Coordinates of all heavy atoms in Angstrom, one line a residue:
A47 N -195.9 59.1 -44.7 CA -195.3 60.1 -45.7 C -194.7 59.4 -46.9 O -194.9 59.8 -48.0 CB -194.3 60.9 -45.0
M48 N -194.1 58.2 -46.6 CA -193.5 57.5 -47.7 C -194.5 56.9 -48.7 O -194.3 56.8 -49.9 CB -192.6 56.4 -47.2 CG -191.4 56.9 -46.4 SD -190.2 57.8 -47.4 CE -189.7 56.6 -48.5
M49 N -195.6 56.5 -48.1 CA -196.7 56.0 -48.9 C -197.3 57.1 -49.8 O -197.5 56.9 -51.0 CB -197.9 55.5 -48.0 CG -199.2 55.2 -48.7 SD -199.0 53.8 -50.0 CE -198.8 52.4 -48.9
K50 N -197.4 58.3 -49.3 CA -197.9 59.4 -50.1 C -196.9 59.9 -51.2 O -197.2 60.3 -52.3 CB -198.2 60.6 -49.2 CG -199.3 60.4 -48.3 CD -199.5 61.5 -47.3 CE -200.6 61.3 -46.3 NZ -200.7 62.4 -45.3
D51 N -195.6 59.8 -50.9 CA -194.5 60.2 -51.8 C -194.3 59.2 -52.9 O -194.1 59.6 -54.1 CB -193.3 60.6 -51.1 CG -193.3 61.9 -50.3 OD1 -194.1 62.8 -50.8 OD2 -192.7 62.0 -49.3
L52 N -194.1 57.9 -52.5 CA -193.6 56.9 -53.5 C -194.3 55.6 -53.5 O -193.9 54.6 -54.1 CB -192.1 56.6 -53.1 CG -191.1 57.7 -53.5 CD1 -189.9 57.7 -52.6 CD2 -190.7 57.7 -54.9
R53 N -195.5 55.6 -52.7 CA -196.3 54.4 -52.6 C -195.6 53.3 -52.0 O -195.7 52.1 -52.4 CB -196.9 54.1 -54.0 CG -198.2 53.2 -53.9 CD -199.4 53.9 -53.4 NE -199.8 54.9 -54.4 CZ -200.6 54.7 -55.5 NH1 -201.1 53.5 -55.6 NH2 -200.9 55.6 -56.3
K54 N -194.7 53.6 -51.0 CA -194.0 52.5 -50.4 C -194.9 51.9 -49.3 O -195.5 52.6 -48.5 CB -192.7 53.0 -49.7 CG -191.6 53.4 -50.7 CD -190.3 53.7 -50.1 CE -189.2 54.1 -51.2 NZ -187.9 54.3 -50.6
S55 N -194.9 50.6 -49.2 CA -195.7 49.9 -48.3 C -195.2 50.0 -46.9 O -194.1 50.4 -46.6 CB -195.9 48.4 -48.7 OG -194.7 47.8 -48.4
E56 N -196.1 49.6 -45.9 CA -195.7 49.7 -44.5 C -194.5 48.8 -44.2 O -193.8 49.0 -43.2 CB -196.9 49.4 -43.6 CG -197.4 47.9 -43.8 CD -198.5 47.6 -42.9 OE1 -198.3 47.9 -41.6 OE2 -199.5 47.0 -43.3
F57 N -194.3 47.8 -45.0 CA -193.2 46.9 -44.8 C -191.9 47.3 -45.5 O -190.8 47.1 -45.0 CB -193.6 45.5 -45.2 CG -194.7 44.9 -44.5 CD1 -196.0 44.7 -45.1 CD2 -194.7 44.7 -43.1 CE1 -197.1 44.2 -44.5 CE2 -195.8 44.2 -42.4 CZ -197.0 44.0 -43.1
S58 N -192.0 47.9 -46.7 CA -190.8 48.3 -47.4 C -190.2 49.5 -46.8 O -189.0 49.7 -46.9 CB -191.2 48.6 -48.9 OG -192.1 49.7 -49.0
T59 N -190.9 50.4 -46.1 CA -190.3 51.6 -45.5 C -189.3 51.2 -44.5 O -188.1 51.6 -44.6 CB -191.4 52.5 -45.0 OG1 -192.1 53.1 -46.1 CG2 -190.7 53.7 -44.2
P60 N -189.6 50.4 -43.5 CA -188.5 50.0 -42.6 C -187.5 49.1 -43.2 O -186.3 49.3 -42.9 CB -189.3 49.2 -41.5 CG -190.6 48.8 -42.1 CD -190.9 49.8 -43.1
L61 N -187.8 48.2 -44.2 CA -186.9 47.4 -44.8 C -185.8 48.1 -45.6 O -184.6 47.8 -45.5 CB -187.6 46.4 -45.7 CG -186.7 45.3 -46.4 CD1 -186.0 44.4 -45.4 CD2 -187.6 44.5 -47.4
Y62 N -186.3 49.1 -46.4 CA -185.3 49.8 -47.2 C -184.9 51.2 -46.7 O -184.0 51.9 -47.3 CB -185.9 50.0 -48.6 CG -186.2 48.7 -49.3 CD1 -187.5 48.2 -49.6 CD2 -185.1 47.8 -49.6 CE1 -187.7 47.0 -50.3 CE2 -185.3 46.6 -50.3 CZ -186.6 46.2 -50.6 OH -186.8 45.0 -51.2
E63 N -185.5 51.7 -45.7 CA -185.2 53.0 -45.2 C -184.7 53.1 -43.8 O -183.5 53.5 -43.6 CB -186.5 53.9 -45.2 CG -187.0 54.2 -46.6 CD -186.4 55.4 -47.3 OE1 -185.5 56.1 -46.7 OE2 -186.7 55.6 -48.5
T64 N -185.5 52.6 -42.8 CA -185.1 53.0 -41.4 C -184.3 51.9 -40.7 O -183.6 52.2 -39.8 CB -186.4 53.3 -40.6 OG1 -187.3 52.2 -40.6 CG2 -187.1 54.5 -41.2
M65 N -184.5 50.6 -41.1 CA -183.7 49.5 -40.4 C -182.2 49.8 -40.5 O -181.5 49.6 -39.6 CB -184.1 48.2 -40.9 CG -185.4 47.6 -40.3 SD -185.9 46.0 -41.1 CE -184.4 45.1 -41.0
G66 N -181.8 50.1 -41.8 CA -180.4 50.4 -42.0 C -179.9 51.5 -41.2 O -178.7 51.5 -40.7
L67 N -180.7 52.6 -40.9 CA -180.3 53.7 -40.1 C -180.2 53.3 -38.7 O -179.2 53.8 -38.0 CB -181.4 54.8 -40.3 CG -181.5 55.4 -41.7 CD1 -182.7 56.5 -41.7 CD2 -180.2 56.1 -42.1
E68 N -181.1 52.5 -38.2 CA -180.9 52.0 -36.8 C -179.6 51.2 -36.7 O -178.9 51.4 -35.6 CB -182.1 51.1 -36.5 CG -183.5 51.8 -36.4 CD -184.6 50.9 -36.1 OE1 -184.5 50.1 -35.2 OE2 -185.6 51.0 -36.8
G69 N -179.3 50.4 -37.7 CA -178.0 49.7 -37.6 C -176.8 50.6 -37.6 O -175.8 50.4 -36.9
E70 N -176.9 51.6 -38.5 CA -175.8 52.6 -38.5 C -175.6 53.3 -37.2 O -174.4 53.5 -36.8 CB -176.0 53.6 -39.6 CG -175.8 53.1 -41.1 CD -174.4 53.1 -41.5 OE1 -173.7 54.2 -41.3 OE2 -173.8 52.1 -41.9
I71 N -176.7 53.7 -36.6 CA -176.6 54.3 -35.3 C -176.0 53.4 -34.2 O -175.1 53.8 -33.4 CB -178.0 54.9 -34.8 CG1 -178.4 56.0 -35.8 CG2 -177.9 55.4 -33.4 CD1 -179.9 56.4 -35.5
D72 N -176.5 52.1 -34.2 CA -176.0 51.2 -33.2 C -174.5 51.0 -33.4 O -173.7 50.9 -32.4 CB -176.7 49.8 -33.4 CG -178.2 49.9 -33.0 OD1 -178.5 50.9 -32.3 OD2 -178.9 49.0 -33.3
L73 N -174.0 50.9 -34.7 CA -172.6 50.7 -35.0 C -171.8 51.9 -34.5 O -170.8 51.8 -33.8 CB -172.4 50.6 -36.5 CG -171.0 50.3 -37.0 CD1 -170.5 48.9 -36.5 CD2 -170.9 50.5 -38.5
A74 N -172.3 53.2 -34.7 CA -171.6 54.4 -34.3 C -171.5 54.4 -32.8 O -170.5 54.8 -32.2 CB -172.3 55.6 -34.9
V75 N -172.6 54.1 -32.1 CA -172.7 54.2 -30.7 C -171.7 53.1 -30.1 O -170.9 53.4 -29.1 CB -174.1 53.9 -30.2 CG1 -174.1 53.6 -28.6 CG2 -175.0 55.1 -30.5
S76 N -171.6 52.0 -30.6 CA -170.7 50.9 -30.1 C -169.3 51.2 -30.4 O -168.4 50.8 -29.5 CB -171.1 49.6 -30.8 OG -172.4 49.2 -30.6
H77 N -168.9 51.9 -31.4 CA -167.5 52.1 -31.8 C -167.0 53.5 -31.7 O -165.9 53.8 -32.1 CB -167.3 51.5 -33.2 CG -167.5 50.1 -33.3 ND1 -166.5 49.2 -32.9 CD2 -168.5 49.3 -33.7 CE1 -166.9 47.9 -33.1 NE2 -168.1 48.0 -33.6
L78 N -167.9 54.5 -31.2 CA -167.5 55.9 -31.3 C -166.2 56.2 -30.5 O -165.3 56.9 -31.0 CB -168.6 56.8 -30.8 CG -168.4 58.3 -30.8 CD1 -168.1 58.7 -32.3 CD2 -169.6 59.0 -30.3
K79 N -166.1 55.6 -29.3 CA -164.9 55.8 -28.6 C -163.6 55.4 -29.3 O -162.6 56.1 -29.3 CB -165.0 55.1 -27.2 CG -163.9 55.4 -26.2 CD -164.1 54.7 -24.9 CE -163.0 55.1 -23.9 NZ -163.2 54.4 -22.6
E80 N -163.7 54.3 -30.0 CA -162.6 53.7 -30.8 C -162.3 54.6 -32.0 O -161.2 54.9 -32.3 CB -163.0 52.3 -31.2 CG -162.0 51.7 -32.2 CD -162.7 50.5 -32.9 OE1 -163.5 49.8 -32.3 OE2 -162.3 50.2 -34.0
W81 N -163.4 55.0 -32.7 CA -163.2 55.9 -33.9 C -162.6 57.2 -33.6 O -161.8 57.7 -34.3 CB -164.5 56.1 -34.6 CG -165.2 54.9 -35.2 CD1 -164.6 53.6 -35.3 CD2 -166.5 54.7 -35.7 NE1 -165.5 52.8 -35.9 CE2 -166.7 53.4 -36.2 CE3 -167.6 55.7 -35.8 CZ2 -167.9 53.0 -36.7 CZ3 -168.8 55.2 -36.4 CH2 -168.9 53.9 -36.8
A82 N -163.0 57.8 -32.4 CA -162.6 59.1 -32.1 C -161.2 59.2 -31.4 O -160.7 60.2 -31.2 CB -163.6 59.8 -31.2
A83 N -160.7 58.0 -31.0 CA -159.4 57.9 -30.3 C -158.2 58.3 -31.1 O -158.3 58.1 -32.4 CB -159.3 56.6 -29.7
P84 N -157.1 58.8 -30.5 CA -155.9 59.0 -31.3 C -155.4 57.7 -32.0 O -155.6 56.6 -31.3 CB -154.9 59.4 -30.3 CG -155.7 60.0 -29.1 CD -157.0 59.2 -29.1
R85 N -154.9 57.8 -33.2 CA -154.5 56.6 -34.0 C -153.0 56.6 -34.1 O -152.5 57.4 -35.0 CB -155.2 56.6 -35.3 CG -156.7 56.7 -35.2 CD -157.4 56.8 -36.6 NE -158.8 57.1 -36.4 CZ -159.7 57.2 -37.5 NH1 -159.2 57.2 -38.7 NH2 -160.9 57.5 -37.3
P86 N -152.3 55.8 -33.3 CA -150.8 55.8 -33.5 C -150.4 55.4 -34.9 O -151.1 54.5 -35.5 CB -150.4 54.8 -32.4 CG -151.5 54.7 -31.4 CD -152.7 55.0 -32.3
V87 N -149.3 55.9 -35.4 CA -148.8 55.6 -36.7 C -147.3 55.2 -36.6 O -146.7 55.4 -35.6 CB -149.0 56.8 -37.7 CG1 -150.4 57.1 -37.8 CG2 -148.2 58.0 -37.2
A88 N -146.8 54.6 -37.7 CA -145.4 54.3 -37.8 C -144.5 55.5 -37.7 O -144.9 56.6 -38.1 CB -145.1 53.5 -39.0
K89 N -143.3 55.3 -37.1 CA -142.4 56.4 -37.0 C -141.1 56.1 -37.7 O -141.0 55.0 -38.3 CB -142.0 56.6 -35.5 CG -143.2 56.8 -34.5 CD -142.7 56.9 -33.1 CE -143.8 56.8 -32.1 NZ -143.4 57.0 -30.7
N90 N -140.2 57.1 -37.8 CA -138.8 56.7 -38.2 C -137.9 56.8 -37.0 O -138.4 57.2 -35.9 CB -138.3 57.7 -39.3 CG -138.5 59.1 -39.0 OD1 -138.2 59.5 -37.8 ND2 -138.8 60.0 -39.9
L91 N -136.7 56.4 -37.1 CA -135.8 56.4 -36.0 C -135.6 57.8 -35.4 O -135.3 57.9 -34.2 CB -134.5 55.7 -36.3 CG -134.6 54.2 -36.6 CD1 -133.2 53.7 -37.1 CD2 -135.1 53.4 -35.4
M92 N -135.7 58.8 -36.2 CA -135.5 60.2 -35.8 C -136.6 60.6 -34.8 O -136.4 61.4 -33.9 CB -135.5 61.1 -36.9 CG -135.1 62.6 -36.6 SD -133.4 62.8 -36.2 CE -132.7 62.9 -37.8
T93 N -137.8 60.0 -34.9 CA -138.9 60.4 -34.1 C -139.4 59.3 -33.2 O -140.5 59.3 -32.7 CB -140.1 60.8 -35.0 OG1 -140.5 59.8 -35.9 CG2 -139.8 62.1 -35.8
I94 N -138.5 58.3 -33.0 CA -139.0 57.1 -32.3 C -139.4 57.4 -30.8 O -140.2 56.7 -30.2 CB -137.9 56.0 -32.3 CG1 -138.5 54.6 -31.9 CG2 -136.7 56.4 -31.5 CD1 -137.6 53.5 -32.2
S95 N -138.8 58.4 -30.2 CA -139.2 58.7 -28.8 C -140.3 59.7 -28.7 O -140.7 60.1 -27.6 CB -137.9 59.3 -28.1 OG -137.5 60.5 -28.7
D96 N -140.9 60.1 -29.9 CA -142.0 61.1 -29.9 C -143.3 60.5 -29.9 O -143.5 59.3 -30.3 CB -141.8 62.1 -31.1 CG -140.5 62.7 -31.2 OD1 -139.8 62.9 -30.1 OD2 -140.0 63.0 -32.3
Q97 N -144.4 61.2 -29.5 CA -145.7 60.8 -29.8 C -146.1 61.2 -31.2 O -146.1 62.4 -31.5 CB -146.7 61.4 -28.7 CG -146.5 61.0 -27.3 CD -147.4 61.7 -26.4 OE1 -148.6 61.7 -26.6 NE2 -146.9 62.4 -25.4
V98 N -146.5 60.2 -32.0 CA -146.9 60.5 -33.4 C -148.2 59.8 -33.6 O -148.3 58.6 -33.5 CB -145.8 60.0 -34.4 CG1 -146.2 60.4 -35.8 CG2 -144.4 60.6 -34.0

Side-chain angles (χ1 to χ4, degrees):
M48 295 298 295
M49 171 62 74
K50 293 173 183 175
D51 285 329
L52 289 153
R53 199 75 65 87
K54 291 190 178 182
S55 71
E56 60 176 315
F57 301 113
S58 65
T59 292
L61 183 62
Y62 297 115
E63 294 275 355
T64 58
M65 279 175 53
L67 297 176
E68 292 177 48
E70 283 279 307
I71 294 172
D72 291 344
L73 182 70
V75 168
S76 299
H77 294 280
L78 183 57
K79 187 175 180 180
E80 169 195 336
W81 294 351
R85 307 174 188 180
V87 298
K89 309 176 186 181
N90 55 37
L91 291 176
M92 185 73 82
T93 58
I94 194 168
S95 63
D96 305 331
Q97 296 180 53
V98 184

